[in-house]
Amino acid sequence: MFAVYAESFSSDDPLSGLVVGERPDPVAPEGWTTVTVKAASLNHHDIWSLRGVGLRDEQLPMILGCDAAGYDEDGHEVVVHAVISDPSWTGDETHDPKRSLLSERYQGTFADKVVVPRRNVVPKPAALSFEEAACLPTAWLTAYRMLFTQSGLKPGDSVLVQGAGGGVSTALITLARAAGLRVYATSRDEAKRARALEIGAHEVFESGARLPARVDAVMETVGAATWSHSIKSLRPGGTIVIAGATSGNNPSQAELTRIFFLQLRVQGSTMGTRTELAQLVEFLDVTGTRPLIDRVVPMTDAREGFAAVASGDVFGKIVLTR
Ligand SMILES: NC(=O)c1ccc[n+]([C@@H]2O[C@H](COP(=O)([O-])OP(=O)(O)OC[C@H]3O[C@@H](n4cnc5c(N)ncnc54)[C@H](OP(=O)(O)O)[C@@H]3O)[C@@H](O)[C@H]2O)c1
């Protein structure tokens, strides 16, 4: 079958290991099902994979991609949940130490077909297109859990979203606005700041700029480059939810004194559960809110999409179609 996969790793030139080609058809193990992929979306995770983060040489070649929407074996329209937990695990699957994301242990979604455990398919409402639905399982689910499970925010509270242009960040801005929060966003780029206003931010700022008021919570995926500003932007007792560190893992100023003195809460967050994915799908269905798509490209042109994500030249999600 057609597939987009990693053949080798390179931390300096991640796209050098990317192959757009053919892989054998997958065989669904007992309890798993085959989904015919109509649309899949790119995440920064796919770039990390090409850099060798979270994968070992002996796992190559690995089909990339965490997110997909398509048809199940009975022809129903479905969204694929990307978190694969151990069959024996009960409860929140993001807490399962043996969990993995599609394309980490099991082959990913950038292909004609992907096999997943039966419980990992979620019905897709007809009102959502395949392209829109394909944006949800990683970036949008991560944003949903950060905002509605981890942050403690309530309608009327205020939130700062760092690095407005990213897939998770655009989801955060859109979901936060739809949920009745006051939304501040930062970006390094003036054009991205203007776009952030269009999709729902109340006010936008250059990275590191002082806000008009301290916020109840900060949503952090940029990491080292924005960490100090995130901590300084919180009100006493506020919460920082961190789900990524694109710009680096070790901030030069960790702001430890400020964290204990102002009794700030630092909350990590990773992906989300199948239940949260179903709730996110329902949220979009009832509110009419839709994922922001930067561009749709045929999966055969996947390299173009990878290059855009690797260079940070995105606003919203890049969707690959079959
Ligand atoms: N924990 C999880 O489950 C989970 C799930 C999804 C994603 N993630 C992680 O979250 C991060 C974002 O993912 P994504 O798919 O949304 O990535 P993305 O689409 O590539 O977004 C990256 C954004 O980060 C900002 N940024 C990058 N480098 C920066 C720097 N040096 N200084 C300031 N801002 C910078 C940029 O914002 P501006 O250009 O607007 O400033 C850019 O738009 C990644 O690290 C990813 O691995 C984690």
Side-chain angles (χ1 to χ4, degrees), residues 1 7 79 90 93 111 137 166 185 206 226 240 261 270 274 276 279 298 304 308 312 316:
M1 66 173 178
E7 190 178 54
V79 187
T90 52
E93 62 263 36
E206 287 179 34
T226 49
I240 180 165
F261 197 66
T270 284
R274 184 194 187 280
E276 286 166 328
Q279 288 168 325
E304 174 197 330

PDB file of all heavy atoms in Angstrom, residues 1 7 79 90 93 111 137 166 185 206 226 240 261 270 274 276 279 298 304 308 312 316:
ATOM      1  N   MET A   1       0.846  -1.200   0.000  1.00  0.00           N
ATOM      2  CA  MET A   1       0.000   0.000   0.000  1.00  0.00           C
ATOM      3  C   MET A   1       0.880   1.248   0.000  1.00  0.00           C
ATOM      4  O   MET A   1       2.046   1.196   0.399  1.00  0.00           O
ATOM      5  CB  MET A   1      -0.910   0.015   1.241  1.00  0.00           C
ATOM      6  CG  MET A   1      -0.140   0.162   2.539  1.00  0.00           C
ATOM      7  SD  MET A   1      -1.212   0.384   3.978  1.00  0.00           S
ATOM      8  CE  MET A   1       0.025   0.468   5.275  1.00  0.00           C
ATOM      9  N   GLU A   7      12.757   6.135   7.261  1.00  0.00           N
ATOM     10  CA  GLU A   7      13.704   5.078   6.908  1.00  0.00           C
ATOM     11  C   GLU A   7      14.984   5.202   7.743  1.00  0.00           C
ATOM     12  O   GLU A   7      15.693   4.238   7.975  1.00  0.00           O
ATOM     13  CB  GLU A   7      14.058   5.212   5.430  1.00  0.00           C
ATOM     14  CG  GLU A   7      14.831   4.070   4.848  1.00  0.00           C
ATOM     15  CD  GLU A   7      15.076   4.325   3.367  1.00  0.00           C
ATOM     16  OE1 GLU A   7      15.623   5.399   3.021  1.00  0.00           O
ATOM     17  OE2 GLU A   7      14.693   3.472   2.565  1.00  0.00           O
ATOM     18  N   VAL A  79     -13.139   8.536  13.557  1.00  0.00           N
ATOM     19  CA  VAL A  79     -11.906   9.222  13.930  1.00  0.00           C
ATOM     20  C   VAL A  79     -11.085   8.205  14.714  1.00  0.00           C
ATOM     21  O   VAL A  79     -11.639   7.436  15.509  1.00  0.00           O
ATOM     22  CB  VAL A  79     -12.190  10.441  14.843  1.00  0.00           C
ATOM     23  CG1 VAL A  79     -10.914  11.242  15.073  1.00  0.00           C
ATOM     24  CG2 VAL A  79     -13.280  11.311  14.278  1.00  0.00           C
ATOM     25  N   THR A  90      -6.825  -0.524  32.754  1.00  0.00           N
ATOM     26  CA  THR A  90      -8.150   0.079  32.932  1.00  0.00           C
ATOM     27  C   THR A  90      -7.941   1.492  33.476  1.00  0.00           C
ATOM     28  O   THR A  90      -6.936   1.776  34.103  1.00  0.00           O
ATOM     29  CB  THR A  90      -9.017  -0.715  33.928  1.00  0.00           C
ATOM     30  OG1 THR A  90      -8.268  -0.886  35.124  1.00  0.00           O
ATOM     31  CG2 THR A  90      -9.423  -2.067  33.364  1.00  0.00           C
ATOM     32  N   GLU A  93      -6.063   6.093  30.098  1.00  0.00           N
ATOM     33  CA  GLU A  93      -4.979   5.433  29.352  1.00  0.00           C
ATOM     34  C   GLU A  93      -3.732   6.293  29.219  1.00  0.00           C
ATOM     35  O   GLU A  93      -2.657   5.769  28.927  1.00  0.00           O
ATOM     36  CB  GLU A  93      -5.461   4.959  27.971  1.00  0.00           C
ATOM     37  CG  GLU A  93      -5.940   6.026  27.028  1.00  0.00           C
ATOM     38  CD  GLU A  93      -7.460   6.171  27.036  1.00  0.00           C
ATOM     39  OE1 GLU A  93      -8.080   6.013  28.121  1.00  0.00           O
ATOM     40  OE2 GLU A  93      -8.027   6.458  25.974  1.00  0.00           O
ATOM     41  N   ALA A 111      -0.904   6.494   5.474  1.00  0.00           N
ATOM     42  CA  ALA A 111      -0.930   5.307   4.612  1.00  0.00           C
ATOM     43  C   ALA A 111      -2.372   5.072   4.165  1.00  0.00           C
ATOM     44  O   ALA A 111      -3.300   5.710   4.667  1.00  0.00           O
ATOM     45  CB  ALA A 111      -0.417   4.097   5.391  1.00  0.00           C
ATOM     46  N   PRO A 137      -7.200  14.062  16.817  1.00  0.00           N
ATOM     47  CA  PRO A 137      -6.705  13.085  17.792  1.00  0.00           C
ATOM     48  C   PRO A 137      -5.448  13.483  18.567  1.00  0.00           C
ATOM     49  O   PRO A 137      -5.261  13.004  19.680  1.00  0.00           O
ATOM     50  CB  PRO A 137      -6.431  11.834  16.930  1.00  0.00           C
ATOM     51  CG  PRO A 137      -7.350  11.985  15.768  1.00  0.00           C
ATOM     52  CD  PRO A 137      -7.355  13.459  15.477  1.00  0.00           C
ATOM     53  N   GLY A 166       1.077  27.418  16.415  1.00  0.00           N
ATOM     54  CA  GLY A 166       1.180  25.960  16.364  1.00  0.00           C
ATOM     55  C   GLY A 166      -0.167  25.256  16.317  1.00  0.00           C
ATOM     56  O   GLY A 166      -1.221  25.854  16.557  1.00  0.00           O
ATOM     57  N   ALA A 185      -2.892  35.750  23.656  1.00  0.00           N
ATOM     58  CA  ALA A 185      -1.974  34.866  22.936  1.00  0.00           C
ATOM     59  C   ALA A 185      -0.706  35.634  22.567  1.00  0.00           C
ATOM     60  O   ALA A 185      -0.758  36.848  22.329  1.00  0.00           O
ATOM     61  CB  ALA A 185      -2.633  34.319  21.672  1.00  0.00           C
ATOM     62  N   GLU A 206       3.571  40.390  21.491  1.00  0.00           N
ATOM     63  CA  GLU A 206       4.850  39.810  21.094  1.00  0.00           C
ATOM     64  C   GLU A 206       5.300  38.850  22.185  1.00  0.00           C
ATOM     65  O   GLU A 206       4.963  39.041  23.361  1.00  0.00           O
ATOM     66  CB  GLU A 206       5.907  40.909  20.947  1.00  0.00           C
ATOM     67  CG  GLU A 206       5.721  41.753  19.713  1.00  0.00           C
ATOM     68  CD  GLU A 206       6.779  42.848  19.632  1.00  0.00           C
ATOM     69  OE1 GLU A 206       7.926  42.619  20.068  1.00  0.00           O
ATOM     70  OE2 GLU A 206       6.433  43.927  19.137  1.00  0.00           O
ATOM     71  N   THR A 226       9.727  30.453  26.369  1.00  0.00           N
ATOM     72  CA  THR A 226       8.625  31.240  26.944  1.00  0.00           C
ATOM     73  C   THR A 226       8.361  30.935  28.418  1.00  0.00           C
ATOM     74  O   THR A 226       7.503  31.566  29.033  1.00  0.00           O
ATOM     75  CB  THR A 226       7.318  30.996  26.148  1.00  0.00           C
ATOM     76  OG1 THR A 226       7.131  29.576  26.006  1.00  0.00           O
ATOM     77  CG2 THR A 226       7.368  31.639  24.773  1.00  0.00           C
ATOM     78  N   ILE A 240       0.012  26.691  35.499  1.00  0.00           N
ATOM     79  CA  ILE A 240       0.625  26.559  34.169  1.00  0.00           C
ATOM     80  C   ILE A 240       0.462  25.103  33.746  1.00  0.00           C
ATOM     81  O   ILE A 240       0.804  24.192  34.493  1.00  0.00           O
ATOM     82  CB  ILE A 240       2.096  27.016  34.166  1.00  0.00           C
ATOM     83  CG1 ILE A 240       2.686  26.857  32.772  1.00  0.00           C
ATOM     84  CG2 ILE A 240       2.947  26.285  35.180  1.00  0.00           C
ATOM     85  CD1 ILE A 240       4.002  27.609  32.609  1.00  0.00           C
ATOM     86  N   PHE A 261       6.567  30.929  46.035  1.00  0.00           N
ATOM     87  CA  PHE A 261       6.098  32.087  46.798  1.00  0.00           C
ATOM     88  C   PHE A 261       4.680  32.480  46.391  1.00  0.00           C
ATOM     89  O   PHE A 261       3.860  32.857  47.225  1.00  0.00           O
ATOM     90  CB  PHE A 261       7.078  33.258  46.599  1.00  0.00           C
ATOM     91  CG  PHE A 261       6.911  34.325  47.629  1.00  0.00           C
ATOM     92  CD1 PHE A 261       7.217  34.064  48.961  1.00  0.00           C
ATOM     93  CD2 PHE A 261       6.436  35.583  47.291  1.00  0.00           C
ATOM     94  CE1 PHE A 261       7.044  35.036  49.932  1.00  0.00           C
ATOM     95  CE2 PHE A 261       6.264  36.559  48.255  1.00  0.00           C
ATOM     96  CZ  PHE A 261       6.573  36.291  49.586  1.00  0.00           C
ATOM     97  N   THR A 270      -0.531  15.226  28.842  1.00  0.00           N
ATOM     98  CA  THR A 270      -0.156  14.454  27.655  1.00  0.00           C
ATOM     99  C   THR A 270      -1.386  13.871  26.994  1.00  0.00           C
ATOM    100  O   THR A 270      -2.174  13.168  27.665  1.00  0.00           O
ATOM    101  CB  THR A 270       0.831  13.331  28.041  1.00  0.00           C
ATOM    102  OG1 THR A 270       2.116  13.933  28.243  1.00  0.00           O
ATOM    103  CG2 THR A 270       0.983  12.319  26.935  1.00  0.00           C
ATOM    104  N   ARG A 274      -9.781   8.315  25.334  1.00  0.00           N
ATOM    105  CA  ARG A 274     -10.798   8.089  24.304  1.00  0.00           C
ATOM    106  C   ARG A 274     -12.070   8.852  24.667  1.00  0.00           C
ATOM    107  O   ARG A 274     -12.721   9.426  23.803  1.00  0.00           O
ATOM    108  CB  ARG A 274     -11.096   6.585  24.189  1.00  0.00           C
ATOM    109  CG  ARG A 274     -12.076   6.268  23.082  1.00  0.00           C
ATOM    110  CD  ARG A 274     -12.619   4.855  23.199  1.00  0.00           C
ATOM    111  NE  ARG A 274     -13.422   4.515  22.035  1.00  0.00           N
ATOM    112  CZ  ARG A 274     -14.682   4.896  21.866  1.00  0.00           C
ATOM    113  NH1 ARG A 274     -15.294   5.632  22.782  1.00  0.00           N
ATOM    114  NH2 ARG A 274     -15.339   4.555  20.774  1.00  0.00           N
ATOM    115  N   GLU A 276     -12.296  11.652  26.356  1.00  0.00           N
ATOM    116  CA  GLU A 276     -12.098  13.081  26.052  1.00  0.00           C
ATOM    117  C   GLU A 276     -12.167  13.340  24.545  1.00  0.00           C
ATOM    118  O   GLU A 276     -12.673  14.379  24.111  1.00  0.00           O
ATOM    119  CB  GLU A 276     -10.758  13.559  26.637  1.00  0.00           C
ATOM    120  CG  GLU A 276     -10.812  13.712  28.152  1.00  0.00           C
ATOM    121  CD  GLU A 276      -9.439  13.842  28.801  1.00  0.00           C
ATOM    122  OE1 GLU A 276      -8.452  13.258  28.284  1.00  0.00           O
ATOM    123  OE2 GLU A 276      -9.351  14.506  29.832  1.00  0.00           O
ATOM    124  N   GLN A 279     -15.725  13.481  23.714  1.00  0.00           N
ATOM    125  CA  GLN A 279     -16.295  14.745  24.215  1.00  0.00           C
ATOM    126  C   GLN A 279     -15.885  15.912  23.317  1.00  0.00           C
ATOM    127  O   GLN A 279     -16.693  16.813  23.042  1.00  0.00           O
ATOM    128  CB  GLN A 279     -15.833  15.002  25.657  1.00  0.00           C
ATOM    129  CG  GLN A 279     -16.493  14.087  26.670  1.00  0.00           C
ATOM    130  CD  GLN A 279     -15.818  14.158  28.039  1.00  0.00           C
ATOM    131  OE1 GLN A 279     -14.592  14.325  28.145  1.00  0.00           O
ATOM    132  NE2 GLN A 279     -16.608  14.013  29.088  1.00  0.00           N
ATOM    133  N   PRO A 298      -2.286  16.578  -0.914  1.00  0.00           N
ATOM    134  CA  PRO A 298      -2.379  15.137  -1.108  1.00  0.00           C
ATOM    135  C   PRO A 298      -1.236  14.443  -0.375  1.00  0.00           C
ATOM    136  O   PRO A 298      -0.129  14.996  -0.286  1.00  0.00           O
ATOM    137  CB  PRO A 298      -2.218  14.958  -2.629  1.00  0.00           C
ATOM    138  CG  PRO A 298      -2.305  16.308  -3.226  1.00  0.00           C
ATOM    139  CD  PRO A 298      -2.026  17.319  -2.158  1.00  0.00           C
ATOM    140  N   GLU A 304       6.160  18.326   1.384  1.00  0.00           N
ATOM    141  CA  GLU A 304       5.885  19.779   1.482  1.00  0.00           C
ATOM    142  C   GLU A 304       5.332  20.124   2.874  1.00  0.00           C
ATOM    143  O   GLU A 304       5.743  21.110   3.499  1.00  0.00           O
ATOM    144  CB  GLU A 304       4.860  20.163   0.397  1.00  0.00           C
ATOM    145  CG  GLU A 304       4.385  21.592   0.470  1.00  0.00           C
ATOM    146  CD  GLU A 304       3.087  21.828  -0.333  1.00  0.00           C
ATOM    147  OE1 GLU A 304       2.867  21.133  -1.342  1.00  0.00           O
ATOM    148  OE2 GLU A 304       2.316  22.708   0.085  1.00  0.00           O
ATOM    149  N   ALA A 308       7.097  22.401   6.024  1.00  0.00           N
ATOM    150  CA  ALA A 308       6.448  23.562   6.643  1.00  0.00           C
ATOM    151  C   ALA A 308       6.428  23.424   8.164  1.00  0.00           C
ATOM    152  O   ALA A 308       6.729  24.381   8.891  1.00  0.00           O
ATOM    153  CB  ALA A 308       5.022  23.708   6.101  1.00  0.00           C
ATOM    154  N   GLY A 312       8.429  25.736  11.044  1.00  0.00           N
ATOM    155  CA  GLY A 312       7.541  26.591  11.843  1.00  0.00           C
ATOM    156  C   GLY A 312       6.645  27.470  10.989  1.00  0.00           C
ATOM    157  O   GLY A 312       5.967  28.363  11.500  1.00  0.00           O
ATOM    158  N   GLY A 316      -2.106  26.767  12.179  1.00  0.00           N
ATOM    159  CA  GLY A 316      -3.146  25.740  12.198  1.00  0.00           C
ATOM    160  C   GLY A 316      -2.568  24.417  11.746  1.00  0.00           C
ATOM    161  O   GLY A 316      -1.362  24.185  11.818  1.00  0.00           O
TER     162      GLY A 316
END
